[in-house]
Structure formats: structure tokens, C-alpha cells
Amino acid sequence: MRLTTKGRYAVTAMLDLTLHQSGGPVTLSDIANRQCISLSYLEQLFSQLRKHALVQSVRGPGGGYLLAREAPEIAVADVICAVDESVDATRCRGKENCQGKERCLTHDLWDDLSKRIYDFLGGIDLAQLVETARVKEVAARQDKIINGISDQASSAA
């Protein structure tokens, strides 16, 4: 399977955005700090997410990003596909030329697995994820750490 850090980071960033956009647009630097993802990498991901109408940018002071649709309307599979990731478990990327120019013995098995993974990820939306207890726990921990860093920086100034 070819789900790389690109897809994982995109889903993580979108989940972070979902959790924090109630206070207005969320900056990529805030997401980068909370999720330990490179800002330049997030810029690349959000460019693709914007092209696929999953996020919208808000310019100017207080600007950042917001979801372009409601969280229940954005499936995890949408996010992964928007950043050109694949959940294809076949060796041939579905072309059926796994063994030379022919289909291999296990092609149907891996193709079925790919479809089931896609269906699974397509059945989970961002709203469902943010409601899980463990996501809430992790988000609270991350916010506490980031707020502690901000408080220390303010005190030092």
C-alpha cells in the first residue's frame, strides 16, 4: 500500500483545522507547531487541498484557512485523494500487468483490499473523527503544550 506521510499529514492537518477553526481562520504556522509538520510542507499540501475545494484561504490580518465545506461533508478518502495519494495495495497500481504484462495470481485479492480501504476511509468524515475521545485527548494535550510555550514566550518578553 502506498499511503505515505503526505496523506497522513494531510489528514492530520485537516483534523487540526477542524478542531481549531471555531475561533476563526487557522494559520498554517499554528498547525505546523501543534502537529510538528514543516510549514513549507503544509503550504504544499494546502495548495492541493484548496484546489480540490476542501479548504479556503482567508487573506489579511487574522487570515488563515477554514474548511470549504462542513466537516461531515469531508471524508478522509477525499483528503487523501486531494493530495494525490493512493490506497492501492496492488503492485501494478490496478493496471493488471503485475506479472510481466499479465495479471498475477493475487491481483484480485489486493485490488479488493484497496477497494475496502477506500470504502472504509470514505465512510469516515472529519466530524466523526473530532468527536472521538482519543482525538479530543490528544488535541487538549497539544493545545496545553502550545499554550504553555506561548505563555512562556510572553513572560520572557
Side-chain angles (χ1 to χ4, degrees):
M1 188 166 15
R2 300 187 27 163
L3 184 59
T4 64
T5 55
K6 183 192 287 189
R8 293 174 197 276
Y9 283 173
V11 172
T12 299
M14 288 291 284
L15 195 52
D16 185 285
L17 179 59
T18 305
L19 286 161
H20 293 94
Q21 73 171 1
S22 62
V26 179
T27 67
L28 292 183
S29 64
D30 284 346
I31 296 172
N33 289 332
R34 278 190 295 268
Q35 302 308 325
C36 301
I37 302 172
S38 151
L39 180 57
S40 61
Y41 199 64
L42 280 175
E43 288 168 346
Q44 293 171 32
L45 293 175
F46 272 70
S47 172
Q48 292 176 293
L49 294 167
R50 192 174 62 245
K51 285 178 188 171
H52 285 85
L54 295 179
V55 298
Q56 60 186 10
S57 60
V58 178
R59 296 186 183 270
Y65 284 89
L66 297 168
L67 294 179
R69 303 190 304 239
E70 296 296 318
E73 298 172 15
I74 301 175
V76 171
D78 297 335
V79 176
I80 291 169
C81 290
V83 296
D84 297 326
E85 276 296 287
S86 169
V87 290
D88 185 3
T90 65
R91 193 170 50 178
C92 62
R93 296 187 183 178
K95 295 178 184 171
E96 298 186 17
N97 59 357
C98 345
Q99 192 171 29
K101 294 184 181 187
E102 302 294 325
R103 154 192 290 241
C104 70
L105 281 174
T106 55
H107 178 84
D108 290 337
L109 172 70
W110 304 126
D111 189 50
D112 187 43
L113 175 62
S114 300
K115 289 174 184 164
R116 288 177 189 235
I117 291 169
Y118 183 82
D119 289 344
F120 173 75
L121 296 174
I124 301 170
D125 61 61
L126 295 176
Q128 290 172 301
L129 285 176
V130 298
E131 289 304 315
T132 63
R134 296 196 98 180
V135 166
K136 288 179 181 180
E137 252 176 59
V138 172
R141 176 182 46 95
Q142 290 172 336
D143 288 341
K144 191 182 286 185
I145 291 168
I146 293 301
N147 290 336
I149 291 169
S150 297
D151 292 343
Q152 287 175 1
S154 298
S155 300

